[in-house]
Amino acid sequence: MTPAELVVLAKKRSESFRLEGFVPGQGKKTAKIMFVGEAPGETEIHNLIPFSGRAGDELMQFMEIAGLTREDVYITSAVRSRPYRYGEKKDRKTGEMIKRRYNRTPTQKEIYAQAPVLDFEIQAIQPKLIITLGNIGLRRLLGKEAGVSDLHGQLLVKPIQKLASLDENRFEWTETCYTIIPTFHPASIFYNRKLLPQIKADFEAIGSYVKEYLR
Ligand code: URA
């Protein structure tokens, strides 16, 4: 399947869900480092650049700690369309209630629906290091028992999950092992500032690993 066919497939598999747009992964096919986030938000589905909104600004600063720029890495996520829910907001000028779309966490079914895309990217790029951002990216690859609070900053060498078949919502483990360093999602500091020193320490560890093994 070509990447274009995969996008068509992922969109088709996502039709029944509240998902909008499709943001392609960003980076060179030769990138050694892959970041796996959760799902794009409103900013990203308009400009088609992963992590270009508020969380992206934080991510770029964290990447700087590790001596990395956007050009050095491949950036993708578990789900590539924006998961949304409807909510109401009062218009400041008219006082009228307006129905609008808000970001939300993707569901497991949505993660399965778009799994062929991430599976393909990992297969095509063969990253030497995968950095998962938050629990959604981490659990997509290492299973639902994994937790970012326990695993962040650790160097893991493990098989990862890939979709077992297109007809079944089930993951199976890859035969090959991948090197993974989990960290928190950069947006997590918006609601928990205390995570900041932990995230910075994780990116220092990422920087040391990159310097030693990937430069
Ligand atoms: N969060 C993600 O996981 N990906 C984006 O592109 C933006 C926010």
Side-chain angles (χ1 to χ4, degrees):
M1 223 182 291
T2 65
E5 284 168 341
L6 259 178
V7 175
V8 173
L9 174 74
K11 284 184 179 165
K12 182 116 199 68
R13 288 168 60 91
S14 305
E15 266 169 9
S16 61
F17 305 118
R18 285 199 166 157
L19 293 174
E20 63 172 343
F22 191 92
V23 182
Q26 184 192 45
K28 296 192 196 81
K29 202 181 163 261
T30 53
K32 293 181 188 159
I33 304 161
M34 178 183 277
F35 281 80
V36 179
E38 178 174 318
E42 193 177 6
T43 310
E44 287 82 11
I45 56 152
H46 288 114
N47 65 20
L48 304 181
I49 303 168
F51 282 101
S52 48
R54 227 154 64 90
D57 293 343
E58 299 298 330
L59 178 61
M60 293 311 127
Q61 289 188 35
F62 293 138
M63 278 170 56
E64 225 177 287
I65 297 174
L68 298 170
T69 66
R70 204 180 261 278
E71 284 67 43
D72 298 321
V73 304
Y74 189 93
I75 308 181
T76 185
S77 49
V79 170
R80 309 298 287 287
S81 303
R82 175 197 185 200
Y84 66 88
R85 64 176 175 83
Y86 283 108
E88 289 202 337
K89 197 184 172 192
K90 204 175 198 171
D91 187 295
R92 271 206 227 129
K93 285 187 197 135
T94 64
E96 209 184 309
M97 292 308 281
I98 304 167
K99 195 174 166 193
R100 54 158 287 180
R101 291 177 176 190
Y102 290 91
N103 294 343
R104 62 169 171 80
T105 306
T107 64
Q108 192 58 38
K109 281 186 182 162
E110 291 166 342
I111 293 168
Y112 281 128
Q114 300 216 342
V117 183
L118 182 59
D119 289 346
F120 174 86
E121 291 173 301
I122 293 173
Q123 192 55 39
I125 293 166
Q126 289 293 322
K128 300 273 181 287
L129 174 65
I130 299 176
I131 295 149
T132 55
L133 301 167
N135 266 327
I136 298 290
L138 173 66
R139 292 179 177 151
R140 162 66 175 85
L141 296 182
L142 293 186
K144 51 181 188 304
E145 306 307 327
V148 70
S149 303
D150 294 333
L151 297 176
H152 74 96
Q154 292 186 32
L155 183 73
L156 310 169
V157 181
K158 285 177 176 292
I160 58 172
Q161 295 191 133
K162 65 175 166 58
L163 196 65
S165 95
L166 289 176
D167 311 318
E168 227 182 321
N169 278 352
R170 178 171 68 82
F171 286 124
E172 64 185 17
W173 298 102
T174 54
E175 277 166 26
T176 16
C177 285
Y178 290 83
T179 303
I180 300 162
I181 302 180
T183 188
F184 296 92
H185 194 283
S188 60
I189 59 160
F190 300 146
Y191 49 86
N192 186 0
R193 231 30 224 178
K194 286 194 189 127
L195 292 175
L196 193 56
Q198 299 181 52
I199 302 179
K200 285 184 173 169
D202 291 351
F203 275 85
E204 271 158 24
I206 292 165
S208 305
Y209 183 85
V210 170
K211 221 162 135 193
E212 185 148 358
Y213 298 104
L214 302 180
R215 285 282 190 221

